[in-house]
Amino acid sequence: MDRRVVVTGTGVISSVGNSTADFWDSLKNGRSGIGPVTRFECGEDYRTRIAGEVKNFDIERYMSQKEAKRLDEFCHFAVAAADEAMGQAGLRDGLGGLDPDKVGVLVGSGIGGILTLETQANVLLTRGPTKNSPLMIPMLITDMASGCISMRYGAKGPNFSISSACATACHAIGESFWIVKRGDADVMITGGSESTITPLAMAGFCSMKAMSQRNEDPLHASRPFDAGRDGFVMAEGAGLLVLEEYEHARRRGADVLAEIIGYGATADAYHITSPSPGGEGAAKAMAAAARVAGVIPEKVGYVNAHGTSTPLNDKFETAALKTFFGEHARKVAISSTKSMTGHALGAAGGIETIACILALRDGVIPPTTNYEHPDPECDLDYTANTAVERAEEYAFNINLGFGGHNAVLAIKKV
């Protein structure tokens, strides 16, 4: 188990940019991608009418219109992000002589093809069961992103999907880390993708009263850790990485962007939507990641927090950080990039792991924007409103999901 796992490619589709470079430029400059919903007629019956939509996305840059019609949009985003990640890894035109049996794909989605489900449910109700598309099932199942990517590149290694709500992509990357580390693959294409800005998904989250209702002020609606936070802002997109065994990457001359050195996964076993009071499960996931990484808490300089902008998450996540880091909690730089991107659900862990990699690479901590009113229960350094130049060697990415799922990745600068 002494195999090192490094990152050789990243790809991002997000509300703040459709490439890693554009995404990172937006984060460093505090630009928000949140605005009124345009995907459908989102009237006043919806408590929340804002979201972090992907903009100016053209799937025909990546595949034919005929092929695109056979896939749900969450697969479109995944394929596009994989294209960028594989290109950066030097593999866009195929596996380039790599053993296809040692290249795997593990891309997750929290909800999968919900737009396909909504569309086909309407067909059933209005036209009858004989009119449903024979492609409905393959379009909506969450593992199809992994399947499509494997077919695109001829990757015949481990191939499946993970779905753990908002922890999905973090779990996918973590499990891919172990797959490479134990030798089941030399390369893994991994992360998460989500496309849920649809009438049904919006209605469901509105009924939960989980989302911000700052409809007249979308740029300031996502405000993690701020005392005035009133819910998360849903977003969409994909964040994919190419993970590779270090010596394998070195032999083929690939650029190494960062090293994944640890992964922890736990459960709260408490409630279907609420985090456990005190953040015990998240703290244990951090401890597990640190143990695998062989890193003491005091070495971790940056944490990309789950930071959803919901009253309970931010309070209990702060408590978890204090439990794990102890006195060092007041010295570590923390930020929630969801303040700018919105919450991309099952894709969040991929997008935010890439933010950690870039923060370590460039020595820049992206901000938590809209932090205006300190909350006595959220009293750590959240890198308020403006990016900070700060060189760090180690970072954590934290993602937590409905159902009590906790996932943490430990990342090292190279």
Side-chain angles (χ1 to χ4, degrees):
M1 298 292 283
D2 60 348
R3 287 163 59 96
R4 295 171 60 189
V5 182
V6 297
V7 180
T8 55
T10 62
V12 177
I13 300 294
S14 75
S15 67
V16 296
N18 294 337
S19 70
T20 298
D22 289 346
F23 161 76
W24 184 230
D25 185 66
S26 292
L27 294 194
K28 289 188 295 182
N29 289 285
R31 289 196 292 269
S32 174
I34 297 168
V37 170
T38 64
R39 291 299 183 85
F40 64 95
E41 188 64 37
C42 191
E44 293 190 1
D45 287 348
Y46 287 89
R47 290 187 175 95
T48 298
R49 300 183 293 279
I50 55 176
E53 295 182 336
V54 168
K55 305 160 191 71
N56 303 314
F57 178 76
D58 181 8
I59 187 56
E60 291 187 50
R61 289 182 54 196
Y62 308 96
M63 62 179 67
S64 69
Q65 186 179 56
K66 180 179 179 181
E67 185 181 4
K69 287 181 177 180
R70 293 171 170 264
L71 299 172
D72 189 89
E73 193 170 48
F74 86 97
C75 284
H76 294 175
F77 293 157
V79 166
D83 183 79
E84 182 186 13
M86 291 292 277
Q88 189 174 27
L91 299 170
R92 176 177 284 124
D93 296 326
L95 299 184
L98 303 186
D99 181 354
D101 294 333
K102 299 292 279 185
V103 180
V105 188
L106 202 178
V107 175
S109 181
I111 298 179
I114 191 167
L115 181 59
T116 294
L117 181 63
E118 289 180 42
T119 302
Q120 292 298 312
N122 185 60
V123 170
L124 172 66
L125 294 174
T126 58
R127 300 172 60 196
T130 63
K131 300 300 183 181
N132 281 113
S133 170
L135 294 172
M136 177 182 70
I137 299 301
M139 286 177 70
L140 67 86
I141 53 180
T142 59
D143 67 304
M144 194 50 62
S146 291
C148 286
I149 291 168
S150 70
M151 288 179 266
R152 190 175 181 87
Y153 298 103
K156 298 181 179 180
N159 187 285
F160 57 101
S161 180
I162 283 175
S163 185
S164 53
C166 305
T168 291
C170 202
H171 277 131
I173 297 165
E175 294 302 322
S176 294
F177 160 79
W178 281 124
I179 288 169
V180 174
K181 198 163 184 63
R182 66 179 177 248
D184 289 350
D186 293 326
V187 176
M188 288 295 294
I189 306 163
T190 185
S193 186
E194 203 79 270
S195 178
T196 53
I197 302 174
T198 71
L200 183 61
M202 288 289 291
F205 281 115
C206 282
S207 293
M208 291 177 66
K209 301 180 181 178
M211 296 192 293
S212 172
Q213 297 180 40
R214 293 174 182 263
N215 297 305
E216 306 309 316
D217 189 17
L219 296 180
H220 300 96
S222 182
R223 43 199 316 112
F225 305 106
D226 184 85
R229 64 191 184 276
D230 70 328
F232 78 92
V233 177
M234 186 156 61
E236 61 185 354
L240 267 64
L241 297 82
V242 176
L243 301 191
E244 191 164 354
E245 193 273 325
Y246 172 71
E247 292 296 336
H248 186 276
R250 187 182 63 81
R251 284 193 299 271
R252 67 180 191 86
D255 291 333
V256 173
L257 308 176
E259 184 174 0
I260 306 296
I261 57 172
Y263 165 54
T266 65
D268 289 346
Y270 173 71
H271 190 270
I272 60 172
T273 57
S274 172
S276 176
E280 177 187 9
K284 288 182 176 179
M286 285 185 257
R291 184 170 59 250
V292 172
V295 173
I296 61 173
E298 290 75 15
K299 289 286 188 179
V300 179
Y302 173 53
V303 172
N304 191 297
H306 191 53
T308 57
S309 185
T310 58
L312 293 182
N313 176 90
D314 296 2
K315 176 173 70 171
F316 295 149
E317 188 174 9
T318 297
L321 290 164
K322 291 177 179 178
T323 297
F324 172 72
F325 284 110
E327 289 300 314
H328 184 61
R330 301 195 178 279
K331 299 177 182 178
V332 66
I334 302 161
S335 67
S336 172
T337 47
K338 290 182 179 73
S339 58
M340 296 168 277
T341 64
H343 187 355
L345 307 181
I351 292 168
E352 290 156 15
T353 296
I354 293 169
C356 288
I357 291 167
L358 299 171
L360 294 179
R361 183 196 69 181
D362 292 353
V364 176
I365 308 299
T368 303
T369 59
N370 303 323
Y371 187 80
E372 298 170 340
H373 309 289
D375 182 340
E377 294 184 292
C378 299
D379 57 352
L380 300 178
D381 177 5
Y382 304 111
T383 318
N385 301 313
T386 304
V388 173
E389 291 188 7
R390 177 167 162 170
E392 296 293 347
E393 188 175 7
Y394 298 98
F396 273 5
N397 180 46
I398 301 173
N399 288 106
L400 317 174
F402 283 174
H405 309 295
N406 308 299
V408 177
L409 292 167
I411 304 147
K412 182 181 179 182
K413 180 180 179 180
V414 294

